[in-house]
Amino acid sequence: MMKRKLKVLSVIGTRPEAIKMAPLIRELSRRADRVESLVVSTAQHRQMLDQTLRVFGIVPDIDLDIMRPRQSLRQTTVDVLTGMEPVLRQHKPDVLLVQGDTTSAWASALAGFHQKTPVGHVEAGLRSFDLGNPYPEEMNRRLTDALASFHFAPTARARDNLLREGFSRGNIFVTGNTVVDALQLALRMPFEPRDGAIRKILDAPGRLLLVTAHRRENWGKPLAEICDALRKLVRQFPDLRVVCPVHLNPEVRQTVMPTLKRLDRIHLIQPVDYLTLAQLMKRAHLILTDSGGLQEEAPTFGKPVLVMRKCTERPEATDAGWASLVGTRANSILSETRRLLMDSSAYARMIPRSNPYGDGQAARRIVDILLR
Ligand code: UD1
């Protein structure tokens, strides 16, 4: 008798979810003999999500198309919850997969709970232990873990966080982070820069700083301080260039664009596709970021990271000495960046020797577990 296939519904809402779910969605379709895979995009992001989906050749089966200009957390939550309910009712998946800590992820997990659909949380167990940093992500990931039946923890540390909170050991699986799988996939694809400006940035001589900042808790003054630090850095180091792909969020753009536009050797560019981002990381001397994904990706390229936040839920690289928390004050960003630009042995000590977040096999492990 033919066994019924496992029906898996994967949710994607924002750019990082698309990157980190891509290897998993690919692996699910490779196992089409045993799995029926459906992909829902909430489209909490539109352009930035579509740009990533194109790279990985993912076409969602269902698109909730919820993004609005200057959307609020409340509105996004309500729209995801309202949109997911009929999808779950109609398709009745055996398992709902959500990724990470976005509003799309946690609100979908809640919709799954309402419909009694078991939820699998990819990238479970990350904790910064500070509900205000990152905001609202620390709460989102706690809520998602509370709603999930299966916890796919990327690292042993994430597993330990879950065990300490009383989650049952039998439902926690250490898999590695799928971001490493995604990066390995991306690096196997042919790369053609989408415009001449990118080629120029990649080919220009001198040291390149790759900078990204978008977090809600950094909007306003912290972001202005970050910009101030960048201005001072290019002034002090004549060989230095800064490339900054600016997030499409208007809250971010309204601070960054007027402050840094038209400054010599600071390149403000539109959000880049994942292959271009990988090339920028490879070319960069140093990475300054408040993003979670970049902290996890940088070790693959052997690049030190300065984390422009108060705390991190991804302490594996900081513990190894390959990343450092510099906060968002201009002075602390300046002094730590200067130190690494001037002291080559301090820089050399911060070069990662391996990637502590994963080995590129996370997607395969997760699908194996689901099929068991
Ligand atoms: C969201 C996630 C954050 C994640 C980040 C990755 C939440 C609460 N936040 O933050 O965890 O790190 O995505 O990028 O889930 N916009 C566009 N086009 C796009 C994307 C965004 O115009 O393709 C604009 C929209 O005007 C939107 C605004 O950006 O109102 C903010 O988007 P939103 O998803 O609410 O928050 P992010 O800051 O992107």
Side-chain angles (χ1 to χ4, degrees):
M1 201 180 70
M2 258 242 306
K3 258 176 76 182
R4 198 178 68 83
K5 289 185 185 184
L6 183 80
K7 194 165 180 175
V8 182
L9 199 132
S10 306
V11 181
I12 290 174
T14 64
R15 178 173 60 184
E17 291 160 85
I19 294 167
K20 291 174 170 185
M21 287 300 280
L24 202 45
I25 290 166
R26 221 179 129 105
E27 186 65 21
L28 288 166
S29 35
R30 249 177 26 88
R31 314 270 191 106
D33 54 327
R34 295 181 63 195
V35 177
E36 180 184 347
S37 165
L38 282 171
V39 178
V40 186
S41 157
T42 68
Q44 175 179 335
H45 284 176
R46 187 75 276 169
Q47 303 90 323
M48 286 164 56
L49 179 71
D50 294 344
Q51 189 182 38
T52 307
L53 294 177
R54 263 195 307 278
V55 166
F56 290 105
I58 296 170
V59 182
D61 301 284
I62 300 140
D63 192 328
L64 303 179
D65 200 23
I66 65 160
M67 193 184 89
R68 309 179 182 200
R70 292 190 179 267
Q71 60 205 7
S72 66
L73 293 176
R74 178 193 59 82
Q75 192 62 58
T76 307
T77 307
V78 170
D79 288 347
V80 172
L81 207 49
T82 311
M84 284 302 293
E85 183 182 300
V87 172
L88 290 166
R89 274 185 199 278
Q90 185 191 340
H91 295 282
K92 298 186 177 51
D94 298 304
V95 60
L96 173 70
L97 289 182
V98 303
Q99 196 285 332
D101 53 20
T102 66
T103 298
S104 282
W106 100 261
S108 297
L110 181 58
F113 172 75
H114 288 160
Q115 296 306 312
K116 298 199 162 61
T117 305
V119 173
H121 187 198
V122 179
E123 199 180 83
L126 271 60
R127 296 290 183 266
S128 69
F129 305 101
D130 177 349
L131 289 181
N133 288 288
Y135 172 89
E137 288 80 5
E138 176 71 0
M139 180 57 88
N140 288 353
R141 57 174 79 106
R142 284 169 184 263
L143 294 169
T144 309
D145 281 331
L147 293 160
S149 306
F150 310 106
H151 301 100
F152 301 110
T155 63
R157 245 182 126 119
R159 174 201 57 205
D160 293 345
N161 289 337
L162 291 165
L163 289 174
R164 261 196 307 275
E165 288 172 26
F167 289 97
S168 110
R169 191 177 282 276
N171 298 333
I172 306 172
F173 309 91
V174 180
T175 60
N177 198 307
T178 54
V179 77
V180 181
D181 308 32
L183 208 47
Q184 292 181 0
L185 275 177
L187 290 171
R188 284 201 295 272
M189 295 179 194
F191 173 69
E192 261 313 311
R194 85 201 146 112
D195 63 31
I198 300 287
R199 180 81 280 158
K200 268 197 194 147
I201 294 167
L202 289 169
D203 291 346
R207 293 180 289 185
L208 185 68
L209 288 190
L210 170 61
V211 182
T212 79
H214 74 279
R215 306 228 74 95
R216 235 161 245 268
E217 66 276 11
N218 284 347
W219 292 355
K221 181 137 192 316
L223 206 49
E225 295 247 341
I226 292 170
C227 292
D228 187 37
L230 297 176
R231 264 191 303 138
K232 291 181 173 147
L233 281 167
V234 285
R235 220 183 297 145
Q236 184 181 350
F237 296 91
D239 75 315
L240 195 68
R241 282 171 189 281
V242 172
V243 60
C244 186
V246 188
H247 194 291
L248 292 180
N249 192 331
E251 293 286 346
V252 173
R253 297 185 81 85
Q254 76 193 16
T255 306
V256 175
M257 300 312 281
T259 335
L260 296 182
K261 185 169 70 180
R262 280 195 282 275
L263 280 183
D264 211 20
R265 289 179 284 119
I266 296 191
H267 308 281
L268 300 181
I269 57 176
Q270 293 293 318
V272 290
D273 65 63
Y274 199 52
L275 304 189
T276 307
L277 184 78
Q279 294 305 317
L280 289 173
M281 279 191 268
K282 203 173 183 179
R283 171 67 182 81
H285 180 70
L286 190 61
I287 298 172
L288 274 66
T289 190
D290 67 3
S291 137
L294 262 82
Q295 292 175 58
E296 295 158 342
E297 289 154 346
T300 292
F301 297 97
K303 303 298 159 124
V305 178
L306 299 183
V307 184
M308 300 187 292
R309 288 172 45 180
K310 288 196 181 119
C311 51
T312 179
E313 60 290 320
R314 295 163 164 96
E316 288 82 355
T318 41
D319 285 356
W322 304 333
S324 153
L325 275 176
V326 293
T328 51
R329 304 295 293 272
N331 278 344
S332 58
I333 298 170
L334 263 176
S335 62
E336 188 58 12
T337 311
R338 274 186 189 139
R339 193 174 72 87
L340 293 178
L341 290 175
M342 294 192 301
D343 179 348
S344 56
S345 45
Y347 177 85
R349 280 195 298 277
M350 272 189 80
I351 294 177
R353 320 255 190 283
S354 61
N355 193 321
Y357 298 103
D359 62 358
Q361 298 297 314
R364 185 186 52 71
R365 288 189 193 105
I366 292 171
V367 178
D368 283 346
I369 293 158
L370 288 174
L371 285 171
R372 252 191 269 143

